Amino acid sequence: MAELEELLQAGRGRTYCTEWEGNAPADFYENVCGLLNAFGGYLYIGIREDGTIVGMDEDKARELSKKLVQDLFDGKRIIPGFWIPWRKYLYVTKDGTLSEEPQGGKVVLLLYVPMSDEMHAVSRRIYDRTEDGNVDITDDGVALLHLQLRKSRENTELRPVPDASWEDLDLDTLHRMRDMAVATRPDHPWRDWEDRALLNSLCLVDYDRLTKESRHTLGALLLFGKDESLARLLPRYGIDLVLRSADGSERTERISCNLFKAYDRLMVFAHENISRYREADAAQAEAMDKVLRNLIVNFLVHREYTSPIPARLVISPDSISTENAHDAEGLGEVAPGFICAYPYRSVLNALLKAFREAGLVYGLNTGLDEIANNSGSLSAKPPVFVEGNTFRATVYM
């Protein structure tokens, strides 16, 4: 049962283990609700929370299975109800492990809870799932916002920004992006395009069919906005550059310029404050540039900009890390075989497309694979990527 071992080791974020004696465990429906609202997962009934396998009589397991399928579907316990897509009986062997082959004796009931497109509640309370277990988020406005974004799968950079106009854009930044694109690809069609046509090609202008007016999007402001326009239209926007000393003290600078200017500021900040970079030979410097470029672009373009959670780039004596609000498609540490995280948003991400056309990244991906492939030149310790409402990436130096 190697597959089972992997599932149990996946952490509390995706698994819920419980015994069942008489009535349902006190937190059973709340945990099911959390899995529905998060990323789905597995219910093991007959395994204690610490992983001890106790099992139950097979007849009882089959009876309980039918009851739960009905209870979870009828919408009385969890609102709205849902359908369990599959269930399985795992047999307890004589040596205390589990097998899919009938053994006689006791069984463990395994149910799969899918990730739901709807928001679910139990007794008017809304639960979400984290690496540490179930969390009641009913009164947490930020957590509810992230849950709504996760359910909608909306690319919020394409939302129009009220009062934003063409005059709020820094055309020098737009022209710089065009020049970078043409330098990367001499036959690039942008070479002869007018500024407004270029912006339209990135899907950064929204057309109101009722008023017949064009409206500039959040993405247009983020990529090309003037500093004063960003301060007026997006007052919460900013990026914290943090320099952390060996004793844990921090020095922080906040910048609020557009993303292309921010990219330059972040690269300079990294080069100036990573001592390992100054000591690197040519091969190490090239690898570090690839790591930094992909890390910073990932940090800038995959941030959920409607969230109030601040974005931080932190340089410590032995690492560089990023933290930003995130519309997650998974939970917990990203396994090495799955480092191309959140592919859905990558395909449609207008911010990423702009950086790709400018030649700063390649392909419509997250850049995490490039970070992982080149970080070996910097440290024997592999990078760590952790998904959740905040995405955290750490590269060791």
Side-chain angles (χ1 to χ4, degrees):
M1 289 296 295
E3 178 184 355
L4 172 63
E5 293 299 321
E6 291 177 4
L7 289 173
L8 289 174
Q9 291 173 8
R12 295 187 57 175
R14 298 299 301 275
T15 60
Y16 171 65
C17 300
T18 186
E19 291 185 80
W20 195 295
E21 298 178 356
N23 296 324
D27 61 352
F28 178 78
Y29 292 100
E30 288 84 350
N31 276 279
V32 175
C33 178
L35 290 171
L36 284 167
N37 282 336
F39 304 97
Y42 302 87
L43 304 176
Y44 290 90
I45 301 177
I47 299 181
R48 291 175 182 157
E49 190 174 355
D50 64 2
T52 302
I53 299 172
V54 292
M56 66 178 75
D57 292 335
E58 185 171 353
D59 289 343
K60 177 183 176 181
R62 294 187 180 278
E63 180 182 346
L64 178 59
S65 174
K66 293 177 183 178
K67 178 180 182 299
L68 284 177
V69 169
Q70 180 61 36
D71 282 352
L72 296 173
F73 179 72
D74 64 18
K76 294 179 180 178
R77 300 273 190 167
I78 296 179
I79 302 174
F82 74 102
W83 180 255
I84 292 281
W86 62 260
R87 46 193 163 152
K88 184 183 292 187
Y89 302 98
L90 304 174
Y91 297 86
V92 182
T93 65
K94 293 181 179 180
D95 59 3
T97 60
L98 295 176
S99 171
E100 294 187 15
E101 298 297 325
Q103 304 283 316
K106 294 187 175 183
V107 302
V108 168
L109 174 59
L110 170 59
L111 304 172
Y112 175 66
V113 177
M115 176 181 176
S116 176
D117 293 331
E118 299 179 277
M119 188 180 297
H120 296 262
V122 176
S123 300
R124 299 185 179 181
R125 307 300 296 177
I126 300 170
Y127 296 87
D128 200 0
R129 197 80 174 162
T130 72
E131 294 177 82
D132 299 321
N134 225 42
V135 181
D136 184 343
I137 64 169
T138 311
D139 303 316
D140 186 337
V142 174
L144 285 173
L145 170 64
H146 279 279
L147 180 56
Q148 291 164 353
L149 289 169
R150 192 189 308 153
K151 298 301 182 185
S152 69
R153 288 295 177 208
E154 179 184 4
N155 284 59
T156 52
E157 66 271 11
L158 302 182
R159 287 184 185 177
V161 176
D163 301 325
S165 67
W166 180 256
E167 286 68 32
D168 290 308
L169 304 184
D170 179 2
L171 296 186
D172 287 342
T173 301
L174 187 69
H175 297 161
R176 179 195 170 207
M177 186 190 71
R178 174 195 283 137
D179 292 342
M180 293 172 70
V182 173
T184 302
R185 178 182 155 195
D187 63 343
H188 201 291
W190 285 353
R191 173 190 291 275
D192 302 315
W193 285 14
E194 295 182 352
D195 295 342
R196 293 178 188 269
L198 191 158
L199 197 67
N200 280 323
S201 73
L202 290 170
C203 302
L204 295 176
V205 179
D206 179 76
Y207 181 71
D208 190 322
R209 297 181 181 276
L210 294 177
T211 64
K212 310 299 182 183
E213 294 180 351
S214 296
R215 303 174 299 179
H216 291 83
T217 64
L218 174 62
L221 279 173
L222 290 170
L223 287 167
F224 309 114
K226 297 175 180 176
D227 291 0
E228 59 270 23
S229 297
L230 290 168
R232 175 172 55 87
L233 297 168
L234 305 175
R236 292 189 305 184
Y237 165 70
I239 300 169
D240 289 344
L241 309 183
V242 182
L243 191 60
R244 183 177 293 158
S245 302
D247 62 5
S249 61
E250 295 183 351
R251 190 177 78 238
T252 302
E253 174 191 2
R254 169 158 288 199
I255 62 173
S256 300
C257 53
N258 67 50
L259 298 188
F260 273 99
K261 290 182 179 178
Y263 172 83
D264 292 336
R265 294 283 298 275
L266 269 62
M267 288 293 285
V268 170
F269 179 72
H271 285 163
E272 289 180 346
N273 292 288
I274 297 177
S275 58
R276 179 71 183 277
Y277 185 84
R278 295 191 294 271
E279 301 165 0
D281 58 29
Q284 287 177 325
E286 182 180 1
M288 186 173 292
D289 275 336
K290 290 181 180 178
V291 168
L292 291 177
R293 183 173 70 247
N294 283 279
L295 182 68
I296 290 172
V297 171
N298 177 285
F299 172 62
L300 295 175
V301 306
H302 289 294
R303 176 179 173 185
E304 179 46 68
Y305 284 94
T306 61
S307 170
I309 295 177
R312 288 161 48 94
L313 182 142
V314 182
I315 295 180
S316 301
D318 64 343
S319 68
I320 178 170
S321 62
T322 60
E323 305 169 9
N324 56 358
H326 175 57
D327 178 14
E329 292 190 11
L331 179 65
E333 186 172 337
V334 180
F338 299 91
I339 57 174
C340 189
Y342 38 97
Y344 177 90
R345 285 176 58 82
S346 294
V347 173
L348 302 176
N349 192 315
L351 306 180
L352 175 60
K353 182 179 179 182
F355 274 82
R356 179 177 66 89
E357 295 295 338
L360 295 175
V361 289
Y362 301 98
L364 289 174
N365 58 46
T366 63
L368 302 188
D369 51 347
E370 283 290 314
I371 297 171
N373 292 339
N374 289 280
S375 63
S377 299
L378 312 178
S379 172
K381 196 172 182 180
V384 176
F385 310 115
V386 181
E387 281 207 275
N389 288 342
T390 299
F391 183 83
R392 302 192 304 276
T394 302
V395 178
Y396 297 94
M397 300 293 178

